[in-house]
């Protein structure tokens, strides 16, 4: 599948809720989500040649917890590892929107 800046699909809340709630039921001991600030995400996106983001699941051995590593991706589908790498998202549980339909 070709990679380009249009990759991905918007979905409605019903599908999003079904997907996130199914994941949380199948993996009850895994983090539900991670929050990363828009300024940091925008800085990764604004790098020259960046057409999108790739999110790697990660484990922080110092903090002894899961997280994600965000890296920009160029038009050839390559990780822009010499650029900005974003980590240290705020994990849920601990910091969650308890009223969100995406968090069962």
């Amino acid at each position: 599948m070709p990679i380009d800046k249009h990759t991905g699909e918007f979905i409605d809340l019903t599908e999003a809720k079904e997907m996130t709630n199914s994941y949380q039921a199948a993996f009850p001991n895994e983090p539900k989500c991670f929050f990363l600030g828009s300024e940091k995400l925008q800085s990764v996106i604004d790098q020259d040649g960046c057409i999108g983001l790739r999110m790697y699941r990660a484990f922080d051995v110092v903090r002894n917890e899961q997280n994600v590593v965000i890296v920009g991706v160029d038009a050839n589908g390559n990780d822009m590892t010499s650029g900005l790498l974003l980590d240290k998202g705020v994990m849920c549980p601990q910091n969650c929107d308890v009223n969100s339909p995406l968090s069962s």
Side-chain angles (χ1 to χ4, degrees), residues 14-80:
T14 300
E15 186 175 357
K17 181 178 177 180
E18 179 181 304
M19 292 174 65
T20 58
N21 292 178
S22 294
Y23 175 85
Q24 291 161 24
F27 304 100
N29 297 320
E30 297 295 316
K32 292 182 180 186
C33 64
F34 298 91
F35 172 82
L36 294 144
S38 61
E39 281 191 23
K40 302 286 178 147
L41 288 166
Q42 194 64 53
S43 293
V44 176
I45 291 168
D46 286 345
Q47 295 175 104
D48 287 339
C50 183
I51 65 158
L53 301 173
R54 189 165 280 132
M55 292 159 258
Y56 285 91
R57 294 187 65 159
F59 186 77
D60 185 330
V61 295
V62 174
R63 295 178 0 191
N64 193 36
E65 64 185 25
Q66 294 185 51
N67 218 295
V68 292
V69 172
I70 308 289
V71 62
V73 177
D74 68 21
N76 294 318
N78 298 314
D79 289 350
M80 299 173 63

